[in-house]
């Protein structure tokens, strides 16, 4: 293991204390190993967020029973302390319930961002400070770099693993305290390090994006939490003409084409809008998905927004040229698949400038 990871502790790490957020996966386990190797006192902390992963026996769930045992085993091997804190109630309120409510409101939620904004960062940072830590280290694939005005958030060096989209809401105060030692490494090398150190999680599958949803059945979870979520309604075209019926708004997202179960149209139809008040699914041709701008709420600013930038409006989307005009994100060319409830993350090159939540969109003139 030849990596010399800098935890940016300001000199000799001996006498320092690093708290590592441990989910029981390979990434956070390697972070703990790298932290311990610096000579700093290292403490592993796991938040027990729910019991669900163990109950369904789903590989890749995080922060549940089996994963806590894995984190503890890694800490035992490294000879460092490990603490578990029960945050199930906080996770349910801040993440799971909000996930269900967003779907009922016709929006497309991103629970991973909410988890980072709440239990994982806010709660863990408080715990780390209570433990007298000099920093909190996590296994996220992003880079913390020091610029002229202090700590900056940058994309992970490995484009296939970059997680900056999910961390846009990290505040400057949090960024000053956080460390991301894996940001410059490719995932295969991280697994190699785990194997070299004899960590039992070296070959463990990656955690799923939405850890609390069994088998990706979002609708099933929402129905369990909100029994009225399956209320049927009309599928209408852009002019309001009824084309069919749907089986509940929770089964649809903006940009969706499959599963509409309507026929007779000379061209493919897509979900253009979900109207929670009327329980209508509005469909139209692909051109109707084109968006010129989006209004953002709860903006988090990590860098200057006055000049040209790029924006990412879905986790798997490519950043596109845009600019901010007040609270409006204006695209240089029409963008497709921009859904209320998703995040818009702003970049200058690899640097994350911040972002916000998409509240509403403005249809492109070509879709009028």
């Amino acid at each position: 293991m030849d990596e010399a990871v800098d935890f940016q502790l300001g000199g000799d790490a001996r006498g320092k204390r690093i708290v590592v957020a441990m989910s029981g996966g390979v990434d956070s386990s390697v972070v703990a190993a790298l932290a311990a190797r610096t000579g700093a006192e290292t403490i592993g902390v796991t938040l027990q967020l729910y019991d669900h992963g163990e109950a369904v026996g789903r590989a890749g769930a995080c922060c549940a029973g089996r994963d806590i045992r894995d984190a503890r085993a890694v800490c035992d091997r490294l000879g460092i302390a490990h603490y578990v804190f029960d945050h199930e109630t906080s996770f349910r309120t801040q993440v799971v319930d909000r996930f269900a409510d967003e779907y009922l409101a016709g929006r497309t939620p991103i629970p991973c961002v909410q988890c980072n904004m709440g239990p994982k960062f806010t709660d863990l940072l408080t715990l780390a400070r209570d433990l007298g830590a000099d920093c909190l280290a996590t296994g996220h694939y992003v880079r913390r770099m020091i610029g002229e005005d202090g700590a900056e958030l940058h994309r992970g060096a490995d484009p296939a693993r970059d997680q900056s989209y999910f961390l846009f809401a990290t505040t400057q105060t949090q960024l000053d305290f956080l460390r991301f030692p894996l940001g410059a490494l490719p995932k295969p090398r991280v697994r190699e390090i785990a194997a070299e150190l004899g960590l039992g999680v070296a070959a463990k599958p990656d955690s799923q994006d939405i850890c609390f949803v069994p088998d990706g059945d979002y609708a099933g979870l929402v129905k369990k939490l909100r029994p009225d979520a399956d209320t049927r309604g009309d599928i209408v075209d852009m002019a309001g003409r009824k084309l069919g019926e749907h089986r509940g708004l929770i089964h649809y997202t903006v940009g969706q084409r499959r599963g509409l179960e309507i026929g007779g149209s000379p061209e493919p139809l897509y979900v253009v809008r979900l109207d929670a008040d009327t329980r209508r699914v509005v469909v139209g041709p692909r051109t109707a998905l084109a968006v010129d701008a989006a209004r953002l709420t709860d903006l988090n600013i990590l860098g200057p927004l006055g000049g040209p930038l790029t924006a990412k409006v879905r986790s798997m989307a490519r950043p596109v040229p845009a600019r901010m005009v007040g609270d409006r994100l204006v695209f240089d060319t029409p963008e497709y698949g921009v859904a209320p409830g998703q995040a818009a993350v702003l970049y200058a090159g690899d640097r994350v400038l911040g972002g916000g939540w998409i509240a509403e969109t403005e249809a492109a003139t070509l879709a009028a």
Side-chain angles (χ1 to χ4, degrees):
M1 187 171 69
D2 55 4
E3 277 71 19
V5 174
D6 182 8
F7 279 79
Q8 300 173 329
L9 294 175
D12 193 342
R14 287 172 294 182
K16 303 287 187 178
R17 179 174 293 166
I18 301 174
V19 167
V20 179
M22 300 189 68
S23 66
V26 62
D27 298 324
S28 58
S29 297
V30 168
V31 169
L34 294 173
R37 196 176 62 160
T38 67
E41 179 187 1
T42 302
I43 300 172
V45 173
T46 302
L47 297 182
Q48 180 170 338
L49 301 181
Y50 59 97
D51 234 359
H52 185 66
E54 185 173 43
V56 300
R58 180 187 182 192
C62 73
C63 307
R66 181 173 61 187
D67 307 288
I68 292 171
R69 291 195 294 272
D70 288 343
R72 180 173 289 119
V74 167
C75 289
D76 287 346
R77 181 169 184 83
L78 297 174
I80 64 176
H82 178 247
Y83 299 107
V84 178
F85 293 88
D86 184 356
H87 276 240
E88 186 170 351
T89 300
S90 173
F91 183 73
R92 171 67 180 256
T93 301
Q94 297 180 42
V95 180
V96 180
D97 285 345
R98 179 165 179 171
F99 175 83
D101 291 338
E102 285 285 280
Y103 262 112
L104 285 180
R107 293 187 287 266
T108 306
I110 315 176
C112 297
V113 176
Q114 296 297 336
C115 187
N116 289 328
M117 289 172 63
K120 282 191 177 175
F121 279 2
T122 303
D123 297 349
L124 268 176
L125 259 73
T126 299
L127 286 170
R129 288 194 172 99
D130 288 345
L131 289 170
D134 293 279
C135 69
L136 171 67
T138 83
H140 290 99
Y141 286 84
V142 293
R143 289 174 293 164
R144 178 186 183 271
M145 304 181 73
I146 303 299
E148 292 182 1
D149 298 319
E152 299 175 353
L153 185 63
H154 288 245
R155 288 188 182 120
D158 183 352
R161 297 298 305 177
D162 170 48
Q163 293 175 297
S164 60
Y165 180 84
F166 300 102
L167 299 183
F168 83 89
T170 304
T171 67
Q172 188 63 54
T173 299
Q174 291 171 342
L175 188 57
D176 290 339
F177 193 69
L178 287 162
R179 302 294 186 272
F180 308 107
L182 302 187
L185 300 178
K187 182 59 176 270
R189 179 55 189 148
V190 173
R191 290 198 181 278
E192 288 175 0
I193 293 172
E196 291 167 8
L197 293 172
L199 303 182
V201 296
K204 187 174 180 178
D206 291 338
S207 61
Q208 304 298 315
D209 283 346
I210 302 180
C211 57
F212 57 88
V213 182
D215 304 321
D217 184 8
Y218 310 147
L221 175 68
V222 176
K223 283 192 295 182
K224 181 179 179 181
L225 297 173
R226 304 290 185 268
D228 61 342
D230 241 6
T231 302
R232 304 176 70 89
D234 294 337
I235 300 176
V236 301
D237 64 15
M238 301 290 291
R241 292 184 291 263
K242 182 176 178 178
L243 302 178
E245 291 187 353
H246 66 76
R247 51 198 177 93
L249 293 180
I250 60 173
H251 298 283
Y252 304 89
T253 58
V254 171
Q256 179 177 331
R257 178 181 172 187
R258 296 183 177 180
L260 293 177
E261 299 177 358
I262 53 177
S265 173
E267 60 182 332
L269 295 176
Y270 300 80
V271 175
V272 175
R273 187 173 68 256
L274 300 173
D275 191 331
D277 292 335
T278 62
R279 297 189 183 276
R280 283 182 164 187
V281 173
V282 182
V283 300
R286 186 176 184 275
T287 54
L289 291 171
V291 166
D292 276 340
R295 183 174 65 83
L296 307 185
T297 60
D298 299 320
L299 277 167
N300 180 56
I301 308 301
L302 291 173
L305 302 182
L309 48 81
T310 59
K312 195 172 184 180
V313 294
R314 298 178 306 282
S315 62
M316 301 302 292
R318 183 176 303 174
V320 297
R323 65 189 187 279
M324 286 297 298
V325 181
D327 64 353
R328 294 171 64 245
L329 175 64
V330 181
F331 302 104
D332 285 9
T333 58
E335 182 68 6
Y336 292 79
V338 185
Q342 293 278 287
V345 181
L346 313 175
Y347 298 88
D350 281 341
R351 183 183 177 185
V352 181
L353 302 179
W357 298 99
I358 299 170
E360 57 187 6
T361 59
E362 301 174 20
T365 53
L366 62 85

